[in-house]
């Protein structure tokens, strides 16, 4: 049986991060000491992933570790931020060293590919849950926010949609092969960090798609004070989605399913081609799926059930 301190030192402490990491003091003390880049603003977000709410408890532990970090990093991507550091709280039903080792491998692998340094955290006993706070940096005038879309701007989305919902459906249908594109989209989402940085200076507003296209578009519309004419036939559907769910349910998954972690952006028409050019260099498509309007509300689709995922459904203000 491992103690929480043993779990941290054996599996969760990162390798030496080096002077360029901006970490003056990392794992092993009461707090981390960080050195943000002079002149840049700090960007901070937190997400909690709970077993059998945000992910199946029986999912591979490496995928759970990857996913817990990825969903938090997606928020930094939506702000156009460069990811720098993270802290994690891990709640475990038991001190299973093999499980924690595999979990940590998935978590640390995504840290490595995204340039993030784990600088501290906590391990405790209880229902399986992972809380991840991510920190990044962005130049003061470059941050992308939800407020800024203007009538006449294009509504565009990176990558493809519906894969998160399609992958979850395949999991509950018994699919376990992580080579499946849909299952990978759900269990191993890729935060669009480089895309967010590439869209600085072009996008007028942005949000990541976590709760569903229509739900997150509602947040963007509300913050910007605009309406949207949506073109649902233009939605880029994830590979294998129609074959798995059928045409109708595939489009519903793209509209309402959530867990896609793509970027939904507002772009002035004159910036569209440059945005596509920058994302093409990242091998990432950008698809126009509508236009922002001065008329409030949403047209082009039945928005009666556009709330998307909510932990506590109720009246929406």
């Amino acid at each position: 049986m491992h103690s929480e301190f043993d779990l941290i030192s054996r599996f969760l402490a990162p390798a030496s991060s080096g002077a360029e990491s901006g970490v003056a003091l990392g794992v092993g003390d009461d707090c981390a000491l960080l050195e943000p880049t002079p002149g840049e603003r700090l960007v901070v977000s937190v997400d909690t992933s709970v077993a059998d709410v945000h992910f199946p408890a029986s999912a591979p532990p490496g995928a759970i570790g990857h996913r817990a970090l990825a969903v938090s990093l997606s928020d930094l991507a939506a702000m156009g931020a460069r990811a720098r550091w993270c802290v994690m709280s891990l709640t475990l039903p038991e001190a299973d060293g093999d499980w924690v080792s595999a979990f940590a491998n998935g978590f640390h692998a995504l840290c490595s590919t995204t340039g993030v340094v784990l600088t501290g955290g906590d391990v405790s006993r209880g229902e399986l849950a992972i809380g991840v706070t991510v920190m990044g940096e962005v130049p003061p005038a470059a941050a992308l926010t939800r407020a800024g879309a203007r009538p006449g701007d294009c509504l565009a989305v990176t990558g493809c949609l519906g894969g998160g919902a399609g992958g979850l459906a395949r999991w509950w249908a018994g699919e376990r092969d992580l080579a499946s594109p849909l299952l990978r989209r759900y269990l191993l989402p890729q935060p669009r960090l480089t895309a967010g940085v590439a869209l600085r200076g072009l996008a007028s507003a942005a949000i990541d798609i976590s709760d569903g296209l229509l739900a997150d578009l509602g947040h963007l519309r509300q913050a910007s004070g605009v309406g949207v004419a949506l073109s649902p036939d233009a939605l880029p559907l994830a590979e294998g989605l129609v074959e798995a769910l059928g045409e109708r349910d595939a489009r519903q998954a793209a509209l309402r399913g959530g867990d896609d972690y793509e970027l939904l952006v507002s772009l002035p028409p004159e910036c569209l081609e440059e945005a596509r050019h920058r994302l093409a260099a990242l091998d990432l498509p950008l698809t126009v799926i509508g236009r922002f309007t001065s008329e409030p509300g949403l047209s082009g689709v039945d928005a009666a059930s556009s709330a998307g995922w909510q932990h506590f459904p109720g009246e929406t203000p």
Side-chain angles (χ1 to χ4, degrees), residues 10-304:
R10 290 188 62 181
F11 305 119
L12 299 176
S16 178
S17 49
E20 73 283 354
S21 69
V23 181
L25 181 64
V27 174
D29 217 305
D30 289 317
C31 296
L33 298 177
L34 307 178
E35 297 177 340
T37 302
E40 301 233 329
R41 284 183 173 167
L42 189 64
V43 185
V44 181
S45 182
V46 62
D47 272 291
T48 301
S49 296
V50 179
D52 292 328
V53 176
H54 300 95
F55 61 89
S58 56
I64 295 173
H66 172 107
R67 197 177 193 282
L69 177 58
V71 300
S72 284
L73 290 176
S74 185
D75 289 328
L76 295 187
M79 299 290 289
R82 178 171 71 102
R84 298 293 310 275
W85 311 286
C86 69
V87 294
M88 173 179 54
S89 63
L90 177 60
T91 305
L92 296 166
E94 59 180 343
D96 182 339
D98 290 339
W99 192 97
V100 175
S101 176
F103 168 89
N105 286 341
F107 193 96
H108 288 314
L110 187 58
C111 282
S112 178
T113 58
T114 56
V116 176
V117 179
L118 177 64
T119 63
D122 180 60
V123 175
S124 58
R125 184 173 64 182
E127 280 190 43
L128 177 59
I130 309 103
V132 180
T133 298
V134 290
M135 291 158 276
E137 296 175 333
V138 67
L144 305 177
T145 71
R146 300 177 182 184
R150 298 180 293 271
D153 283 355
C154 302
L155 172 66
V157 66
T158 62
C160 57
L161 299 171
L168 180 58
R170 296 308 304 150
W171 175 271
W172 292 126
E175 175 70 68
R176 296 294 185 269
D177 183 2
L178 287 184
S180 162
L182 289 180
L183 209 55
R184 290 186 67 82
R185 290 277 301 180
Y186 174 68
L187 288 176
L188 299 168
Q190 300 302 312
R192 301 303 189 187
L193 289 162
T194 53
V197 172
L199 290 169
R200 290 179 187 171
L202 299 176
S204 53
I207 190 172
D208 74 316
I209 301 175
S210 56
D211 297 327
L213 170 64
L214 292 184
D216 292 312
L217 177 56
H219 299 318
L220 199 155
R221 288 192 294 115
Q222 183 178 29
S224 293
V226 292
V228 168
L230 191 66
S231 303
D233 290 343
L235 298 180
L237 301 182
E239 178 187 353
L241 189 64
V242 173
E243 292 81 358
L245 302 183
E247 180 75 30
R248 179 185 176 279
D249 287 349
R251 294 205 172 274
Q252 288 303 306
L255 286 169
R256 297 180 169 88
D259 279 322
D260 281 322
Y261 303 103
E262 297 290 353
L263 300 184
L264 188 64
V265 300
S266 169
L267 284 161
E270 63 272 18
C271 296
L272 178 60
E273 287 310 309
E274 176 60 22
R276 281 177 164 157
H277 175 73
R278 292 185 187 181
L279 295 193
L282 304 175
D283 197 27
L284 186 64
L286 182 69
T287 305
V288 174
I289 60 171
R291 301 279 175 179
F292 288 92
T293 66
S294 56
E295 294 293 322
L298 177 67
S299 64
V301 66
D302 177 13

